[in-house]
Amino acid sequence: MQLTKPQSEIFCSPSRFRAVVAGRRFGKTFLSTGEILRAAIGGANRNCWYVAPTYGAAKEIAWDMLIQTIPEEYIAKTNETSLTIRLINGSVISLKGAEKPNNLRGRALDFVVLDEFADMRPEAWNEVLRPSLSDRQGHALFIGTPKGRNHFYDLWAKGLDGADGWDSFQYTTLQGGNVPAEEIEQARNDLDKRTFNQEYCAEFVTYSG
């Protein structure tokens, strides 16, 4: 996979838990698929999940990209109904929705991506997915655009505060390298300042009223 420099910085971080705040069109899903593939081929019989705020979003955002990214010779079986991909080494990649966090209980995990974590209920991580990583000492990647100073901000701040095992990143849309500067300037003119700072500058903006 050809990663951009910011994506490579995230990909190469050795930290167990990584929180990435990025502007729109940064390439979050592309990076997520690369992360999941690396985890799944890194050992036999691994269980790796991509979790989106809803099941429908997981399918719409990541399914086609995963199928296109994973080399055919790595795949033993795919099931679009259950959104699972079984690799020849026995590892399974599954796409999940976080609408009902309790439905995610019961499986030991080696790796999980929580995409647009700001739009999920915090208990999806605290009460369900974090314990699922414990017996295998699994890793997690949180990634998304900020939505005020909510639970995503709290996790992202762990890396800034030097919490053991955590690393945090923040990139604007421009730094992502996928959107030209002229388009970003046009968006700056079209949007109010707070919305632009949140969606394109990846800032944790606090809204009131």
Side-chain angles (χ1 to χ4, degrees), residues 32-76:
S32 297
T33 57
E35 293 272 3
I36 290 175
L37 178 57
R38 175 175 64 171
I41 67 176
N45 303 312
R46 291 188 173 182
N47 199 20
C48 304
W49 283 9
Y50 170 91
V51 181
T54 67
Y55 186 78
K59 181 176 182 179
E60 181 178 350
I61 295 170
W63 178 255
D64 287 343
M65 186 172 290
L66 272 170
I67 294 299
Q68 295 167 8
T69 300
I70 301 174
E72 290 185 10
E73 59 270 24
Y74 288 15
I75 299 175

Side-chain angles (χ1 to χ4, degrees), residues 13-155:
S13 169
S15 297
R16 182 181 180 189
F17 303 118
R18 290 165 294 155
V20 181
V21 178
R24 299 289 290 274
R25 312 311 305 162
F26 171 82
K28 297 184 289 291
T29 305
F30 183 73
L31 172 63
S32 297
T33 57
E35 293 272 3
I36 290 175
L37 178 57
R38 175 175 64 171
I41 67 176
N45 303 312
R46 291 188 173 182
N47 199 20
C48 304
W49 283 9
Y50 170 91
V51 181
T54 67
Y55 186 78
K59 181 176 182 179
E60 181 178 350
I61 295 170
W63 178 255
D64 287 343
M65 186 172 290
L66 272 170
I67 294 299
Q68 295 167 8
T69 300
I70 301 174
E72 290 185 10
E73 59 270 24
Y74 288 15
I75 299 175
K77 183 180 180 181
T78 64
N79 188 323
E80 189 168 356
T81 302
S82 63
L83 298 184
T84 57
I85 303 170
R86 182 175 294 275
L87 304 184
I88 58 174
N89 68 349
S91 293
V92 177
I93 298 171
S94 303
L95 277 62
K96 303 287 184 179
E99 307 99 315
K100 298 179 179 179
N102 280 332
N103 290 349
L104 302 176
R105 291 179 180 270
R107 295 298 302 274
L109 298 178
D110 296 279
F111 182 71
V112 61
V113 172
L114 294 96
D115 194 358
E116 298 299 349
F117 181 62
D119 293 324
M120 300 181 196
R121 291 155 58 182
E123 57 264 34
W125 167 248
N126 296 326
E127 300 177 14
V128 181
L129 295 174
R130 177 60 182 89
S132 297
L133 297 168
S134 291
D135 56 340
R136 300 189 181 186
Q137 290 80 59
H139 292 225
L141 173 67
F142 305 83
I143 192 165
T145 304
K147 295 291 175 64
R149 295 199 173 191
N150 62 2
H151 53 282
F152 186 24
Y153 173 83
D154 293 337
L155 286 184

